[in-house]
Amino acid sequence: MVLHRARSPLALEDRPIPTPGPSEVQVRVLACGVCRTDLHIVDGELQPPSFPLVPGHEIIGVVSAVGTKASRYRLGDRVGVPWLGWTCGECSFCRSDRENLCDRAKFTGFDRDGGYAEFAVADERFVFPAPQGLSDVDAAPMMCAGLIGYRSLRLAGDARKVGFYGFGASAHIAVQAARARGQDVYAFTRPGDARGQEFARGLGAVWAGGSDERPPAPLDAALIFAPVGALVPEALKSIAKGGTVVCAGIHMSDIPSFPYEILWGERVVRSVANLTRRDGDEFLELVGRAKIRTVTTSFPLEQANEALDAVRGGRLEGAAVLVP
Ligand SMILES: [Zn+2]
Ligand SMILES: [Zn+2]
């Protein structure tokens, strides 16, 4: 499914099967999650370097060919391909354990073709073994929604009480990771979204309410998963002194101005960008140990546009996944 320009539907096309470069693997795609980032690309809020583009960076598949210098995986291995597709290994960020900020990073389904397809190729160094014990469809959202949620939690430090603003694909996985780390989650949904609040409580949130409500006690941190800048001051009003508000998305509407007093008291606002391979290793280990699950709705690959619409409308519980 190919995007030829922003704000146009993806087109179903037959293309040659991509050949892996020397250090790449070719993956036969079994499932590919639909991430809100894909929506930002399709809607023109994020500009990829070039078109046409095959989106998709939550790939679960099997290795179907290996490059001449690739040695980490064998034919038939079940693998996951995430957003981080390549880093330079040389810049100051790469050399300080912050490859997520690499100046020359390349991202799957953005700088290079992704997983809205039957086949994809990926640099083997950035490919993970697929999580065990989960179907292909259920494993796919772990590759971005899960990973970014995990990194966001990590950046919130050792907060005991954590607020989640927006309870979609990322949050429904992160709430389980938080519980496994001994953290209590307070879920904020759209005001009046009783079903979303029920969904959050069912996955282990200790409290759920509308984003216009205050939690029963001040929080130690808040993660904002919804791409809504107006939530930043709301979250600041809900955290205690010294707390952190983490913006987990790659794109957000403008943040309205707010009084300095809600930032005062060493409160911090920060963003989360991308992932490191270390995040992936740690998170996937936690998925297995804590038996983290996902709630998914699958769509045939050729219904990618319908799947994107469903994510845009916030109509799904959990995550949307395409199946070739
Ligand atoms: Zn770099
Ligand atoms: Zn993503």
Side-chain angles (χ1 to χ4, degrees):
M1 293 296 288
V2 184
L3 183 66
H4 285 272
R5 59 191 158 79
R7 292 175 292 279
S8 69
L10 307 193
L12 179 64
E13 288 174 14
D14 267 322
R15 284 182 155 196
I17 294 175
T19 313
S23 61
E24 292 181 335
V25 290
Q26 179 198 72
V27 175
R28 183 166 63 81
V29 180
L30 300 171
C32 184
V34 176
C35 178
R36 184 166 285 279
T37 297
D38 304 338
L39 207 52
H40 292 313
I41 296 168
V42 172
D43 290 346
E45 292 159 337
L46 290 176
Q47 274 82 39
S50 65
F51 291 110
L53 173 70
V54 178
H57 56 269
E58 298 184 298
I59 302 172
I60 297 292
V62 288
V63 173
S64 46
V66 296
T68 50
K69 291 189 178 143
S71 59
R72 293 184 185 219
Y73 296 99
R74 292 160 190 262
L75 293 181
D77 282 353
R78 191 164 165 270
V79 295
V81 181
W83 170 245
L84 188 71
W86 184 87
T87 56
C88 76
E90 296 166 357
C91 71
S92 60
F93 296 106
C94 282
R95 283 189 282 108
S96 56
D97 196 25
R98 294 180 293 169
E99 64 180 358
N100 60 309
L101 302 179
C102 174
D103 286 330
R104 292 192 282 150
K106 293 196 191 313
F107 300 108
T108 310
F110 188 74
D111 296 288
R112 50 186 311 170
D113 284 336
Y116 286 18
E118 292 169 292
F119 289 90
V121 292
D123 186 314
E124 65 163 1
R125 296 171 303 156
F126 295 85
V127 171
F128 297 109
Q132 307 275 321
L134 290 168
S135 70
D136 303 319
V137 166
D138 285 353
M142 298 296 186
M143 302 316 299
C144 183
L147 262 164
I148 291 295
Y150 176 77
R151 185 171 175 86
S152 306
L153 267 183
R154 202 157 77 67
L155 295 188
D158 55 6
R160 174 71 209 262
K161 293 192 290 248
V162 186
F164 284 11
Y165 283 81
F167 207 86
S170 254
H172 96 286
I173 301 171
V175 63
Q176 301 170 66
R179 282 179 69 202
R181 291 157 51 95
Q183 296 167 300
D184 289 338
V185 171
Y186 295 70
F188 298 82
T189 67
R190 286 174 198 175
D193 181 6
R195 212 172 128 221
Q197 291 162 19
E198 190 54 40
F199 181 54
R201 280 190 290 264
L203 286 168
V206 298
W207 177 92
S211 58
D212 55 345
E213 295 178 45
R214 291 284 159 264
L219 305 171
D220 302 312
L223 315 185
I224 303 184
F225 292 108
V228 181
L231 291 173
V232 172
E234 291 306 312
L236 277 171
K237 288 178 205 162
S238 292
I239 60 170
K241 287 180 283 188
T244 302
V245 173
V246 182
C247 303
I250 192 169
H251 173 83
M252 192 179 238
S253 56
D254 286 356
I255 300 169
S257 71
F258 53 82
Y260 179 60
E261 65 177 277
I262 67 174
L263 182 63
W264 173 249
E266 300 196 342
R267 291 175 180 87
V268 175
V269 177
R270 68 174 302 168
S271 63
V272 162
N274 315 315
L275 67 136
T276 65
R277 284 171 281 181
R278 195 184 110 199
D279 293 328
D281 292 339
E282 287 179 9
F283 172 65
L284 294 173
E285 189 273 326
L286 181 64
V287 165
R289 181 158 47 82
K291 302 207 180 331
I292 295 176
R293 293 286 173 263
T294 56
V295 175
T296 51
T297 304
S298 59
F299 295 78
L301 174 61
E302 56 271 27
Q303 286 179 20
N305 293 306
E306 286 80 356
L308 286 161
D309 272 345
V311 173
R312 189 185 285 109
R315 292 196 300 274
L316 297 175
E317 278 189 347
V321 180
L322 300 177
V323 179

